[in-house]
C-alpha cells in the first residue's frame, strides 16, 4: 500500500518500466539489484492542503495520475472542495498499541492525515495547548475522524498548538471478555454446587 523502497533485480524487465514512470529515484546500486525510493511516499502523519469530497474515480485520477497524494485528501463526509494551509507536526508518540499522541502547530484550521487504516473504533480527542488562561474551547473534546482516500484516517485541527490523542477502543472486545469471565465463573460455581 505504501512502501518507501523497492528492490528490483538489475536484469528484470520491470526495471526499465519503473525508471520510465518517474516515481522512483535510484538510491543504491548493488551487484545484482537496484534499490529505488518512492518520490511520493506517504509520511505516517501529514497535513493535507487540498480537500475533496470522496469519489473513487476522482481520487484515482488525483492521486495516481496527478501524483499528488502528499497534498490531497479525498474525504468521505465533506461536500465541497476546500483549500487549507499546512501546519507543522511537532512530535509523535506511537506509545502503546492502541494509542497515538500527536503535537501540532497550525496557524489556521488544518486537516491532519494519519496513514493508518480507518476503523470505526478509533476515537480522537483534541487538547489545545494553553497560553495563560486562553483556550479555543476544544480542550478534551472528541472530534470526528474522517475516512481519507478510502482507507486512511484524518481530522480537522483548530488553529494554534494542539495535542491530539487517537485511542482505539473496541467495546465489543470488552463485552466479549466480560461474557467469557461471567461464563467461566458460572462454570466454576456450578462445578462446586455439584
Amino acid at each position: 500500500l505504501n512502501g518507501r523502497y523497492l528492490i528490483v533485480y538489475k536484469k528484470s524487465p520491470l526495471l526499465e518500466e519503473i525508471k520510465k514512470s518517474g516515481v522512483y529515484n535510484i538510491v543504491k546500486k548493488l551487484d545484482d539489484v537496484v534499490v529505488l525510493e518512492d518520490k511520493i511516499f506517504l509520511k505516517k502523519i501529514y497535513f493535507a492542503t487540498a480537500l475533496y469530497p470522496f469519489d473513487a474515480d476522482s481520487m484515482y485520477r488525483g492521486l495516481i495520475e496527478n501524483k499528488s497524494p502528499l497534498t490531497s485528501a479525498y474525504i468521505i463526509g465533506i461536500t465541497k472542495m476546500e483549500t487549507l494551509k499546512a501546519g507543522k507536526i511537532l512530535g509523535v508518540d506511537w506509545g502503546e498499541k492502541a494509542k497515538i499522541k500527536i503535537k501540532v502547530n497550525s496557524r489556521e484550521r488544518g486537516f491532519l492525515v494519519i496513514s493508518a487504516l480507518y476503523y470505526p473504533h478509533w476515537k480522537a480527542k483534541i487538547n489545545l495547548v494553553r497560553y495563560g488562561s486562553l483556550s479555543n474551547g476544544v480542550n478534551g473534546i472528541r472530534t470526528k475522524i474522517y475516512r481519507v482516500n478510502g482507507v486512511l484516517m484524518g481530522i480537522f485541527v483548530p488553529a494554534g498548538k494542539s495535542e491530539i490523542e487517537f485511542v482505539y477502543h473496541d467495546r465489543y472486545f470488552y463485552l466479549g471478555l466480560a461474557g467469557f469471565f461471567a461464563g467461566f465463573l458460572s462454570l466454576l460455581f456450578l462445578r462446586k454446587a455439584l
Side-chain angles (χ1 to χ4, degrees), residues 32-138:
D32 295 337
V33 297
V34 175
V35 179
L36 302 126
E37 182 177 27
D38 188 344
K39 292 181 193 175
I40 57 172
F41 170 74
L42 292 179
K43 298 174 183 174
K44 287 196 180 254
I45 300 171
Y46 61 95
F47 277 91
T49 55
L51 311 182
Y52 302 95
F54 180 82
D55 170 272
D57 292 334
S58 319
M59 184 185 79
Y60 178 79
R61 281 194 306 280
L63 296 179
I64 305 302
E65 294 175 6
N66 298 333
K67 298 179 177 69
S68 60
L70 298 176
T71 58
S72 301
Y74 292 82
I75 304 167
I76 295 173
I78 67 167
T79 57
K80 62 180 181 159
M81 192 266 185
E82 192 173 350
T83 303
L84 302 173
K85 301 270 185 195
K88 291 186 179 184
I89 297 163
L90 304 175
V92 179
D93 178 9
W94 293 93
E96 304 164 28
K97 285 184 181 180
K99 191 180 285 189
I100 306 168
K101 291 181 181 179
I102 307 162
K103 293 180 182 178
V104 299
N105 188 11
S106 186
R107 289 187 178 180
E108 301 174 13
R109 178 174 165 261
F111 192 78
L112 188 70
V113 177
I114 296 85
S115 293
L117 290 179
Y118 174 89
Y119 197 68
H121 298 296
W122 280 102
K123 305 293 180 216
K125 180 171 66 171
I126 298 176
N127 291 302
L128 187 74
V129 176
R130 293 178 181 220
Y131 298 99
S133 62
L134 299 176
S135 167
N136 72 351
V138 297

Side-chain angles (χ1 to χ4, degrees), residues 8-23:
V8 180
Y9 283 105
K10 285 182 177 177
K11 294 180 182 178
S12 172
L14 289 175
L15 185 58
E16 287 307 312
E17 292 296 319
I18 292 168
K19 285 180 183 177
K20 286 179 192 175
S21 75
V23 176

Side-chain angles (χ1 to χ4, degrees), residues 147-181:
R147 183 178 275 186
V148 178
N149 300 342
V151 295
L152 305 177
M153 297 189 296
I155 63 166
F156 284 97
V157 175
K161 285 188 178 182
S162 300
E163 293 178 355
I164 302 148
E165 182 176 52
F166 286 85
V167 178
Y168 182 82
H169 182 73
D170 186 351
R171 67 176 180 220
Y172 297 111
F173 170 77
Y174 295 107
L175 286 172
L177 194 59
F180 168 77
F181 282 116

